[in-house]
């Protein structure tokens, strides 16, 4: 008797998460290096560390901007 794995519905391959460097975030926000590292240090902007490199997921940058817009609208 052979057992078969249950059928898994075909899923669309997800797009890999884009990771931005600090200079890329600086350019997108038009802020200086110290300002961006300040946002990272205070955890207002989420990031990950890969070795000695700091990377910011694009969704974290989008969430940060959305949060700031919501705060200013309130």
């Amino acid at each position: 008797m052979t057992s078969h794995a249950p059928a898994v519905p075909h899923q669309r391959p997800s797009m890999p998460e884009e990771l931005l460097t600090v200079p890329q975030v600086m350019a997108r926000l038009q802020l200086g290096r110290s300002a961006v590292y300040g946002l990272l240090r205070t955890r207002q902007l989420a990031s990950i560390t890969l070795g000695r490199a700091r990377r910011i997921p694009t969704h974290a940058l989008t969430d940060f901007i959305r949060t700031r817009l919501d705060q200013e609208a309130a």
Side-chain angles (χ1 to χ4, degrees):
M1 178 189 282
T2 61
S3 64
H4 295 285
V8 177
H10 181 66
Q11 294 179 344
R12 205 176 79 199
S14 62
M15 294 292 293
E17 181 66 45
E18 183 180 357
L19 299 174
L20 303 171
T21 63
V22 169
Q24 289 172 319
V25 173
M26 289 167 51
R28 291 186 186 199
L29 294 178
Q30 298 181 354
L31 291 174
R33 183 179 186 86
S34 296
V36 172
Y37 275 106
L39 294 171
L40 296 171
R41 186 179 58 256
T42 59
R43 300 183 189 260
Q44 295 177 61
L45 182 59
S47 69
I48 61 170
T49 304
L50 301 170
R52 294 180 58 187
R54 187 71 77 104
R55 296 292 181 262
I56 299 91
T58 53
H59 76 82
L61 183 58
T62 303
D63 292 347
F64 168 75
I65 293 169
R66 186 177 298 119
T67 299
R68 293 299 294 255
L69 287 171
D70 291 346
Q71 288 173 348
E72 296 209 7

